[in-house]
Amino acid sequence: MDDARQPLIEIAGVSKHFGEGEARVDALRDIGLTVRRGEVVALLGPSGSGKTTLLNVIGCIIAPTVGRVTLDGELVYDNRALRGDLRRLRLDKIGFIFQFHNLLPFLNARDNVALVLTLAGRSSAEAQAQAVELLDYLEVGHRKDTMPALLSGGEAQRVAIARALANSPRIILADEPTAALDSKRAGIVMDLLRKLAAEQDACIVAVTHDEKIYDRFDRLFHLRDGVLEVQGEEAT
Amino acid sequence: MNLAYRDVRHNLFRFVLTCLGLSLLMAVVLAMIGIYNGLVADALNIVKAPQADLWVVESGTQGPFAEASKIPGSTRDAVARLHGVAEAGSITYQTVEARHAGDTLRLYVIGYEPGRPGGPQAIAEGRGITQTHFELVADRQTGLVVGDRIRLGRNSFAVVGLVEDTMNSGGDPAAFITLVDAQTLQSQLAPPAQRVQTARGAGLLESADTVAAVIARLEPAADPQGVATTVRQWKHLGALTQAEQEAILIGSVVDRAKRQIGLFLGILLTVSAVVIALIIYTMTMEKLKQIATLKLIGAPDRTIVSLIVQQSLALGMVGWSFGLILILLVKDYFPRRVVLEPVNAAALGGIIIVVCIVASGLGVRAALKVDPATAIGG
Ligand SMILES: Nc1ncnc2c1ncn2[C@@H]1O[C@H](COP(=O)(O)OP(=O)(O)O)[C@@H](O)[C@H]1O
Ligand SMILES: [Mg+2]
């Protein structure tokens, strides 16, 4: 199981539609996708092409209409949800980074990160210490006692990344993580994500529009009207 | 880390404001309970004041509080001679309007025989009545002070002492005077036609020597019902034991007020419950996005439910405490007594806890239904 080539995300025959009849929208059509350990892949595509929907399916936030989803070797969906506690799965295996940071407004930066760790069962002191460590690493340690409303966009995004990485997830999902940042900062954030993925033996799937950071991905996937086209070489 | 507490602290001003609003509502509920208790306590006080065992009244009446009762003054001697009676005293009750300090003062005038049962129990200030005529002991609520003079009928009375918490069920404060003075006052204030008749000496009951009731204290060994039965054999007299008298008062005078206030209290509690439910529901709805985020990062339902329930309980309890403090601060400024027993406050607290838990059920339902995907985007 220590095989570096072990797939963390395996998706086969996944389709997802919203609504029925006239109102039916086919957001994903027969998607197949495999992402392995250490891989950093990008999801590209015009607005409405299904990128967020695909990310949500991988993150067990929405169930696919049909298809199989296997995460870290565990079959999670096979035309239906196979696990009752998807939330626990998310807590243990998945870290989310969103376009907008989604930090809890009533907790300061440190506690936003520490919360994930306490939810995962870490003691409060341990969680706090580890949160500060992560924030320091992301160079926002000096803002640890600041409430989210008072953080700049870049700071908030880095705190959100710290939160996504706090529980050492195997799968990091990022929906336009750099959209709120200028391209220099976006490059820094992407480099950071790559580094963290390598260190934690995780994979990253990131939605992006930012052509300037394409070179930081191992593979690019294009979505068009819910159909996936692979570009670039699969890393060897 | 306690999320409920953190969220409250983050929105402290709003939370406190909401609590204050709720506490005003709680204060009104508590005031209503207190007013009702005060009413009952006042009504019973006047019956309990003479420390009687037996009330001898006009036959066929439930006097002297619920109905008018008139019996000859000589009844007292007859009652006092009965086997088992330790002492007896005549008593009269009448509501009188008097002018004092430029205001009209309604007094519940109690005429009693000094040295016999029926007089004021505890003098709070000054002394009791010692003269046969023109001395008066008033309830503090009248606003009279020791040394004041007040005109009742054609005579002027000196206020020699003050008592507390003595008033009739209508809230008129009591004034004690001697029985003789009370009888004089009664004839002075009687309608003119009746006065003419009385002057002609017509009718025993219209004579000057009538009283409202005779109250008797019994020997420790005597049976109140037994003595009452004996009294009832005199055909123009009726007798009520102290317990019966209290029951009549509660049944007749207090019962209507009880239903009136009880209904209002019910409405108030319903309103409070709806308001609490709305506040908690709104509080939760405003947090739905944060709740979705919590779900997204993997927080179990337990975390989300306790966030909502803890906040709603905190809201209820803080509102209740503020309300209690508020009513304790202002209750003495009410014109009538507001009596709050710890058990009332505790009962309201209990009701509020239940309301809060039920109300948070609504919020919890909405929170558990929310799709974690709503945390994404926007
Ligand atoms: N919850 C939903 N209900 C209905 N339609 C949806 C829902 N989510 C997404 N869609 C539709 O699915 C399509 C793909 O959406 P999305 O995955 O958000 O695209 P992208 O992220 O690439 O912009 C769009 O047409 C969108 O309107
Ligand atoms: Mg999108």
Side-chain angles (χ1 to χ4, degrees):
Chain A
M1 293 293 272
D2 262 10
D3 180 7
R5 300 288 303 158
Q6 190 200 337
L8 285 176
I9 303 170
E10 291 174 273
I11 283 179
V14 162
S15 294
K16 173 73 187 175
H17 66 84
F18 296 104
E20 293 297 337
E22 290 280 291
R24 175 169 164 141
V25 178
D26 285 291
L28 299 176
R29 301 168 204 254
D30 194 23
I31 306 276
L33 171 73
T34 300
V35 184
R36 297 171 197 282
R37 278 193 186 175
E39 266 192 317
V40 178
V41 306
L43 272 182
L44 312 174
S47 182
S49 56
K51 305 182 296 293
T52 298
T53 307
L54 180 54
L55 221 51
N56 287 350
V57 168
I58 299 170
C60 302
I61 294 172
I62 59 178
T65 313
V66 292
R68 296 159 60 98
V69 178
T70 310
L71 299 179
D72 198 12
E74 180 176 347
L75 186 59
V76 186
Y77 289 101
D78 190 358
N79 296 327
R80 62 187 175 90
L82 297 177
R83 250 183 90 139
D85 55 339
L86 291 172
R87 243 183 268 171
R88 183 72 212 186
L89 181 85
R90 279 205 292 276
L91 180 62
D92 291 337
K93 296 204 166 151
I94 301 168
F96 286 95
I97 304 162
F98 307 103
Q99 178 172 357
F100 303 96
H101 58 70
N102 278 89
L103 295 174
L104 292 169
F106 52 85
L107 296 180
N108 63 26
R110 181 189 45 202
D111 289 335
N112 257 288
V113 179
L115 175 63
V116 177
L117 292 162
T118 45
L119 286 176
R122 237 63 65 81
S123 78
S124 175
E126 207 181 328
Q128 300 275 333
Q130 205 174 329
V132 173
E133 212 171 286
L134 253 171
L135 289 173
D136 278 339
Y137 186 71
L138 287 157
E139 292 169 10
V140 275
H142 61 294
R143 301 292 269 162
K144 64 181 189 294
D145 295 320
T146 309
M147 300 308 275
L150 301 176
L151 294 171
S152 75
E155 286 169 343
Q157 194 61 305
R158 276 178 284 162
V159 174
I161 292 171
R163 181 179 69 180
L165 301 176
N167 202 29
S168 309
R170 280 297 174 81
I171 298 162
I172 297 166
L173 304 175
D175 198 350
E176 310 196 32
T178 59
L181 308 177
D182 60 53
S183 57
K184 180 167 162 271
R185 288 210 164 276
I188 295 172
V189 164
M190 271 320 299
D191 285 341
L192 188 67
L193 281 176
R194 282 194 69 94
K195 190 168 136 208
L196 292 168
E199 281 175 12
Q200 300 193 353
D201 215 6
C203 69
I204 299 180
V205 180
V207 170
T208 184
H209 285 300
D210 192 348
E211 295 184 17
K212 289 191 260 350
I213 59 171
Y214 285 179
D215 58 341
R216 272 139 170 130
F217 292 93
D218 301 325
R219 282 190 291 160
L220 303 177
F221 290 94
H222 274 270
L223 263 173
R224 230 178 290 281
D225 287 331
V227 180
L228 193 68
E229 317 163 353
V230 190
Q231 266 194 8
E233 289 296 302
E234 201 169 318
T236 37
Chain B
M1 104 186 55
N2 185 299
L3 297 180
Y5 167 70
R6 294 304 189 85
D7 185 45
V8 164
R9 207 177 60 175
H10 184 62
N11 295 304
L12 191 60
F13 180 71
R14 235 194 53 182
F15 182 79
V16 169
L17 218 59
T18 312
C19 284
L20 278 181
L22 195 57
S23 68
L24 291 177
L25 205 55
M26 294 297 101
V28 173
V29 173
L30 286 167
M32 236 36 239
I33 298 175
I35 287 168
Y36 169 70
N37 286 342
L39 200 78
V40 174
D42 284 344
L44 287 182
N45 254 2
I46 210 94
V47 186
K48 283 180 174 154
Q51 299 188 330
D53 295 315
L54 197 69
W55 294 74
V56 178
V57 297
E58 188 177 340
S59 109
T61 73
Q62 300 200 317
F65 303 104
E67 283 181 279
S69 156
K70 232 177 210 185
I71 56 176
S74 57
T75 309
R76 189 250 296 154
D77 279 337
V79 171
R81 276 195 300 271
L82 283 176
H83 182 67
V85 173
E87 45 180 346
S90 294
I91 197 156
T92 64
Y93 295 97
Q94 56 191 319
T95 304
V96 173
E97 286 200 344
R99 302 287 300 170
H100 176 70
D103 262 334
T104 304
L105 192 59
R106 269 177 76 87
L107 293 175
Y108 189 56
V109 175
I110 302 172
Y112 76 102
E113 300 176 280
R116 295 185 185 278
Q121 285 311 309
I123 302 286
E125 200 182 317
R127 58 171 175 83
I129 293 173
T130 53
Q131 305 291 309
T132 322
H133 286 296
F134 312 136
E135 285 190 342
L136 180 145
V137 169
D139 186 90
R140 207 188 278 285
Q141 281 280 318
T142 54
L144 295 168
V145 295
V146 173
D148 272 353
R149 297 199 69 84
I150 184 165
R151 177 165 282 279
L152 299 177
R154 285 197 290 276
N155 297 311
S156 170
F157 287 78
V159 178
V160 296
L162 295 178
V163 293
E164 280 169 353
D165 296 336
T166 312
M167 58 189 68
N168 69 5
S169 60
D172 304 321
F176 290 90
I177 58 178
T178 62
L179 182 71
V180 236
D181 284 348
Q183 286 173 329
T184 310
L185 184 61
Q186 207 152 26
S187 68
Q188 284 168 359
L189 298 178
Q194 193 189 324
R195 272 208 304 260
V196 171
Q197 284 222 325
T198 311
R200 283 188 195 139
L204 171 70
L205 290 179
E206 268 66 37
S207 83
D209 190 19
T210 61
V211 299
V214 168
I215 55 181
R217 289 189 194 140
L218 303 184
E219 308 278 4
D223 165 35
Q225 277 303 345
V227 182
T229 313
T230 314
V231 173
R232 284 181 198 125
Q233 284 162 3
W234 292 327
K235 71 172 192 278
H236 61 288
L237 294 181
L240 302 164
T241 64
Q242 175 69 15
E244 286 168 342
Q245 186 66 268
E246 288 181 17
I248 286 171
L249 211 70
I250 294 202
S252 64
V253 183
V254 179
D255 188 56
R256 188 121 37 102
K258 179 181 183 162
R259 272 184 289 154
Q260 175 94 345
I261 294 180
L263 190 63
F264 187 55
L265 202 59
I267 293 173
L268 265 182
L269 277 175
T270 312
V271 169
S272 309
V274 170
V275 168
I276 291 175
L278 273 177
I279 291 174
I280 290 167
Y281 188 69
T282 316
M283 242 164 56
T284 313
M285 293 318 269
E286 281 171 358
K287 268 201 287 289
L288 275 191
K289 184 143 184 236
Q290 293 157 33
I291 288 167
T293 302
L294 281 170
K295 288 186 178 181
L296 205 63
I297 62 176
D301 286 345
R302 175 168 32 89
T303 306
I304 292 157
V305 171
S306 66
L307 167 68
I308 296 167
V309 173
Q310 283 173 19
Q311 278 191 356
S312 77
L313 283 178
L315 185 83
M317 286 299 93
V318 174
W320 172 83
S321 327
F322 282 11
L324 190 59
I325 292 169
L326 199 65
I327 196 65
L328 291 177
L329 287 177
V330 302
K331 78 180 173 71
D332 291 335
Y333 297 100
F334 278 74
R336 293 204 55 182
R337 235 166 10 127
V338 175
V339 180
L340 267 182
E341 306 287 349
V343 61
N344 302 137
L348 183 64
I351 292 175
I352 295 307
I353 288 177
V354 171
V355 167
C356 283
I357 290 174
V358 171
S360 38
L362 281 177
V364 164
R365 237 173 71 103
L368 292 186
K369 270 205 298 218
V370 72
D371 187 346
T374 47
I376 306 164

